[in-house]
């Protein structure tokens, strides 16, 4: 079965193939010649049904092959490089040849494909009576070789063949397994895709291959890098790493995989210090520069989305010079490659790998290499000589006596069958697709297969979309994008016996589960330096609660300074971006990590200031009562009778009330205390000043009454004095009543004066009412002061006017200074200022009006006589 390029296209368009031939002929690809295309065009014109065509270039023999009823192609990167030569364009180019080291793991992949085919051929339930064949090619890890293999698998190896209806639309293979790398796979799909040949890859993980518009014939048994990138970002965030470095292969695999990872990392809040790309085909200086970037970086964690061959070159360069320890996070390609375990600097590396599996009988098949099998295969001969070190060494020649059972190499290591199982499942998926086409189950449960049926690749393609089976306990199916269900094992490089590195499965990741259940840690991880302590990789240390992050200018968001929250704000989480404002009645604690209720403050009886003011208030009241007692006991004495004893007793009573009314300002404000404190203060002070005013008027009237012909005292006798006091007090009582009725004082919580506490205070309600009360007191005090000032030069026995003058002067000075002090004092000190003014003015009146008299009564009784007072008066009049 063959597929001619000319036969796949309309003959009228065949001329366009000449450009394709010229574009790839330098690589020695097996293409149709332009002469053949011309012949095809002529044939179309003449109506001929077939044309004789000749392949351009030299076909490459497959590494392994076997004929069968249906042939499956296989493409693996068994060698690392392809030998390239400069083309002169004057002669036919030399055939492409693989060179460099052999990847024995890839050899194992190819042999696993052969094992699966032979196992199917021996199966009684899958394709019974049908023989599958295979053609396994080595792509040399290069795009040109992969493209040539793709053409060869499509056209076959015969140099001359006819293109007619009998072979139009057919290919030499029904499906292809491979390639191992994404970039060669993409190149192959560009060639075979238009012909509908399905390709099932075991190791091409580029997320771009899920695009069915570009790659409709692609399937894979390994999950897409889209899932692996999300898993790696989830893993990094799980361990709290926010500052990482990133390196990638400069290929479709590395570039697309890293792009998906960086997007997922950004969503997880992870910052990348650097992102470097390189390839094993780059100059050594390029790899050295990447190694130097890793060495000089501050990120302790390095994510490597790198192909095994590229990673090998980088680690060799890192090994060349002492390098600071780094925590490596690897993609599946290299982190589960046994050949990489020789790099001790990666001890502690972690990464996601395909689930480890068991394939019964595979190890025996791999080790079943007889000398005849080896000698018949140039590829196995190269492997054998390389594995046992007998290539190019004269004194050591391989004679077939070497024991492969004792060989320690990736080829023989079946303890970590991960990608190998993907090859195994790919072959079985193709076999199941073919089975569904050529086989049918009869009534007696027997299966009948028609191996002569002409199976087209497009039929296999259609059936592959619907395969769903289980093999060795592993489910095989494809979603709409040709991808399997993404499940991974978390692999850790741990140092085991005798310092040997081994792969240890420490967890699992299942992309089909909810986000918080996808990562399941099963064992303890051994980190870099063989430590059990999770390494730290952050640009800035975490900001503790009580602070917020401030991004450093010109740096990624993970680089920040920790700024303490402002007053009134808190942050109760680590690494908060913003601080939260506490509610009005709350305030941050000292650490600013939680809001606490603001302490409520008011002038209390239990605090020092309250105790002092209370003592002064009670002490003043006691002095007033004591003085009243003294006056009452000496009420018949000359000095008491001469100073209007009735007004004196009333004044002492009002002073006692003035002292005691200050107590209403102390304590927790309530509705009653707020209304009582200002009204009581206003009325008692007016009563007090009214009494002083009455005494002042009495002094003035008494002096005028001593003048000849004056009868003024009859108009200001005791009834008039009482009426004066009552009248002045009634006016204040009326003002207070209106104040309480219209807009009374009330208790409030003041959260603004102090940010960190709440002041309980009384709001005056009506400012007009408050200042009216104070204004009326001030008016009476001013009037009293003026009258007392006019009476200051009266005779000594009536010298009470001088004391009234001084007392009113003190009173007015206190209350004038009270106004700015009251307005500017914060919180409870406003109340303290008001109490201080009340007590000070009361003591001023008390000491100047009553202490001199008490002194005479108690300590100078000889002066407390009418004769003494009259003599003093006479002397003053004569003077």
């Amino acid at each position: 079965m063959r597929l001619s390029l000319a036969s796949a296209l309309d003959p009228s368009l065949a001329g366009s193939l000449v450009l394709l031939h010229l574009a790839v002929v330098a690589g020695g690809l097996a293409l149709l010649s332009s002469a053949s295309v011309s012949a095809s065009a002529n044939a179309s014109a003449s109506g001929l049904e077939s044309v004789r065509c000749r392949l351009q270039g030299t076909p490459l023999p497959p590494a392994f092959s076997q004929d069968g009823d249906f042939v499956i192609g296989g493409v693996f990167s068994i060698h690392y490089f392809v030998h390239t030569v400069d083309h002169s364009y004057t002669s036919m180019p030399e055939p492409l040849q693989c060179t460099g080291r052999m990847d024995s793991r890839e050899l194992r992949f190819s042999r696993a494909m052969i094992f699966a085919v032979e196992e199917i051929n021996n199966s009684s339930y899958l394709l019974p009576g049908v023989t599958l064949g295979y053609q396994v090619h080595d792509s040399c890890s290069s795009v040109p070789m992969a493209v040539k293999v793709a053409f060869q698998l499509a056209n076959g190896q015969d140099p001359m063949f006819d293109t007619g209806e009998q072979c139009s639309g057919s290919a030499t293979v029904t499906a292809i397994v491979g390639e191992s790398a994404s970039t060669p796979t993409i190149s192959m799909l560009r060639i075979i895709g238009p012909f509908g040949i399905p390709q099932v890859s075991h190791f091409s993980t580029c997320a771009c291959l899920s695009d069915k518009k570009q790659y409709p014939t692609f399937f894979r048994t390994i999950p897409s890098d889209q899932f692996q990138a999300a898993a790696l970002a989830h893993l990094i965030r799980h361990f709290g790493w926010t500052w990482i470095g990133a390196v990638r292969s400069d290929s479709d695999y590395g570039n697309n995989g890293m792009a998906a990872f960086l997007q997922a990392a950004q969503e997880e809040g992870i910052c990348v210090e650097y992102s470097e790309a390189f390839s094993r085909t780059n100059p050594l200086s390029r790899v050295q520069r990447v190694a130097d970037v890793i060495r000089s970086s501050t990120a302790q964690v390095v994510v490597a989305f790198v192909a095994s061959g590229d990673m090998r070159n980088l680690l060799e360069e890192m090994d060349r010079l002492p390098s600071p320890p780094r925590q490596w996070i690897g993609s599946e390609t290299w982190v589960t490659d046994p050949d990489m375990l020789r790099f001790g600097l990666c001890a502690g590396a972690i990464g996601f790998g395909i689930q480890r599996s068991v394939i019964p009988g595979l190890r025996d098949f791999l080790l079943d290499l007889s000398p005849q099998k080896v000698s018949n295969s140039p590829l196995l001969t190269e492997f054998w000589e390389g594995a046992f070190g007998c290539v190019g060494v004269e004194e050591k020649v391989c004679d077939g006596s070497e024991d492969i059972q004792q060989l320690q190499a990736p080829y023989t290591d079946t303890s970590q069958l991960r990608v190998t199982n993907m090859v195994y499942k790919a072959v079985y998926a193709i076999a199941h697709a073919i089975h569904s086409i050529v086989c049918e189950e009869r009534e007696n449960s027997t299966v009948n297969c028609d191996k002569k049926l002409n199976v087209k690749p497009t039929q296999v393609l259609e059936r592959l979309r619907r395969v769903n089976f289980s093999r060795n306990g592993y489910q095989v199916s494809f979603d709409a994008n040709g991808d399997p269900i993404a499940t991974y094992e978390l692999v850790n490089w741990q140092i085991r016996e005798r310092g040997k590195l081994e792969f240890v499965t420490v967890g699992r990741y299942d992309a089909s589960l909810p986000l918080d259940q996808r990562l399941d840690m099963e064992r303890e991880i051994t980190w870099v330096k063989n430590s059990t302590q999770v390494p730290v990789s952050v640009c800035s240390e975490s900001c503790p609660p009580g602070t917020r992050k401030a991004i450093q200018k010109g740096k990624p968001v993970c680089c920040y300074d920790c700024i303490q929250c402002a007053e009134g704000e808190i942050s109760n989480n680590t690494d908060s971006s913003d601080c939260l404002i506490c509610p009005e009645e709350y305030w941050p604690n000292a650490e600013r990590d939680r809001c606490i209720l603001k302490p409520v403050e008011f002038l209390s009886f239990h605090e020092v200031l309250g105790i002092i003011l209370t003592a002064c208030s009670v002490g003043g009241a006691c002095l007033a009562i004591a003085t009243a007692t003294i006056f009452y006991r000496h009420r018949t004495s000359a000095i008491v009778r001469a100073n209007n004893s009735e007004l004196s007793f009333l004044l002492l009573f009002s002073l006692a009330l003035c002292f005691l009314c200050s107590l209403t300002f102390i304590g927790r404000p309530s509705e009653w205390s707020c209304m009582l404190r200002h009204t009581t203060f206003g009325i008692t002070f007016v009563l007090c000043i009214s009494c002083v005013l009455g005494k002042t008027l009495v002094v003035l009237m008494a002096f005028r009454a001593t003048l000849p012909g004056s009868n003024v005292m009859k108009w200001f006798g005791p009834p008039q004095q009482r009426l004066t006091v009552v009248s002045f007090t009634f006016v204040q009582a009326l003002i207070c009543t209106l104040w309480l009725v219209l807009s009374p004082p009330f208790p409030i919580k003041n959260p603004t004066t102090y940010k960190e506490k709440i002041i309980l205070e009384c709001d005056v309600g009506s400012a007009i009412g408050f200042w009216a009360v104070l204004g009326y007191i001030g008016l009476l005090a001013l009037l009293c002061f003026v009258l007392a000032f006019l009476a200051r030069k009266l005779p000594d026995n009536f010298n009470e006017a001088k004391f009234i003058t001084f007392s009113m002067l003190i009173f007015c000075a206190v209350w004038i200074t009270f106004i700015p002090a009251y307005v500017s004092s914060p919180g409870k000190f406003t109340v303290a200022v008001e109490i201080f003014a009340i007590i000070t003015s009361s003591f001023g009146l008390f000491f100047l009006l009553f202490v001199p008299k008490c002194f005479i009564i108690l300590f100078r009784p000889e002066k407390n006589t009418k004769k003494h007072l009259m003599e003093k008066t006479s002397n003053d009049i004569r003077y």
Side-chain angles (χ1 to χ4, degrees), residues 301-479:
V301 173
V302 182
V303 177
F305 228 106
V306 185
S308 292
D310 298 337
M311 194 65 184
R312 186 176 296 103
N313 287 8
L314 176 61
L315 294 181
E316 287 173 352
E317 176 58 31
M318 294 289 293
D319 243 351
R320 188 176 61 85
L321 294 175
S323 302
R326 291 287 184 263
Q327 178 61 52
W328 292 90
I329 310 297
S331 60
E332 204 283 333
T333 307
W334 71 269
V335 83
T336 56
D337 187 349
D339 189 46
M340 307 298 291
L341 291 174
R342 59 191 175 93
F343 296 103
L345 62 91
C346 288
I350 57 174
F352 289 107
I354 302 305
Q355 283 185 306
R356 187 172 53 179
S357 58
V358 176
I359 303 177
L362 177 62
R363 178 174 174 79
D364 294 336
F365 177 82
L366 293 175
L367 300 181
D368 183 20
L369 293 180
S370 63
Q372 183 179 358
K373 285 184 179 180
V374 174
S375 61
N376 289 340
S377 170
L379 198 62
L380 290 179
T381 300
E382 181 183 350
F383 161 70
W384 192 278
E385 292 176 346
F388 292 104
C390 49
V391 56
V393 182
E394 295 181 0
E395 59 272 14
K396 186 174 182 181
V397 179
C398 293
D399 55 8
S401 62
E402 294 81 14
D403 187 4
I404 195 173
Q405 299 283 347
Q406 304 300 321
L407 181 64
Q408 297 293 323
Y411 174 81
T412 60
D413 183 9
T414 57
S415 63
Q416 298 281 336
L417 293 181
R418 301 177 188 275
V419 182
T420 305
N421 192 42
M422 301 298 104
V423 177
Y424 186 75
K425 292 199 296 186
V427 176
Y428 265 88
I430 295 172
H432 274 271
I434 297 173
H435 180 92
S436 65
I437 298 172
V438 303
C439 299
E440 61 178 7
E441 187 174 349
R442 295 183 175 179
E443 295 181 358
N444 56 0
S445 299
T446 60
V447 178
N448 182 40
C449 299
D450 184 3
K451 62 182 179 180
K452 294 182 180 181
L453 191 65
N454 183 20
V455 177
K456 296 181 180 181
T458 52
Q459 292 177 281
V460 178
L461 172 64
E462 179 61 30
R463 297 304 176 96
L464 269 173
R465 296 190 177 105
R466 291 180 284 175
V467 297
N468 189 350
F469 64 94
S470 179
R471 180 65 184 173
N472 293 337
Y474 302 102
Q475 190 68 24
V476 181
S477 63
F478 303 105
D479 62 15

Side-chain angles (χ1 to χ4, degrees), residues 13 126 135 226 256 360 394 431 464 512 534 546 658 661 797 854 873:
L13 301 177
L126 184 61
Q135 290 186 18
Q226 189 71 36
N256 285 279
E394 295 181 0
L464 269 173
S512 64
V534 179
C658 287
C661 79
N797 60 329
C854 290
T873 303

Side-chain angles (χ1 to χ4, degrees), residues 226 315 488 507 718 742 850:
Q226 189 71 36
L315 294 181
Y488 298 98
L742 298 178
F850 292 101

Side-chain angles (χ1 to χ4, degrees), residues 270-333:
I270 301 166
C271 297
V272 179
E273 182 181 6
Y274 58 86
S275 181
E276 297 290 333
F278 70 99
S279 173
R280 65 181 180 278
T281 58
N282 291 147
L284 181 60
S285 58
R286 172 64 179 169
V287 181
Q288 290 174 341
R289 195 183 75 82
V290 175
D292 290 338
V293 169
I294 296 173
R295 292 188 186 103
S296 60
S297 68
T298 58
Q300 301 300 308
V301 173
V302 182
V303 177
F305 228 106
V306 185
S308 292
D310 298 337
M311 194 65 184
R312 186 176 296 103
N313 287 8
L314 176 61
L315 294 181
E316 287 173 352
E317 176 58 31
M318 294 289 293
D319 243 351
R320 188 176 61 85
L321 294 175
S323 302
R326 291 287 184 263
Q327 178 61 52
W328 292 90
I329 310 297
S331 60
E332 204 283 333
T333 307

Side-chain angles (χ1 to χ4, degrees), residues 73-107:
V75 187
F76 301 92
S77 301
I78 300 176
H79 283 86
Y80 288 118
F81 298 99
V82 64
H83 177 68
T84 57
V85 296
D86 294 332
H87 300 293
S88 63
Y89 299 99
T90 58
S91 60
M92 288 292 292
E94 297 180 8
L96 296 176
Q97 294 181 353
C98 297
T99 185
R101 286 183 53 193
M102 175 186 288
D103 188 342
S104 62
R105 186 170 73 142
E106 288 282 337
L107 178 61

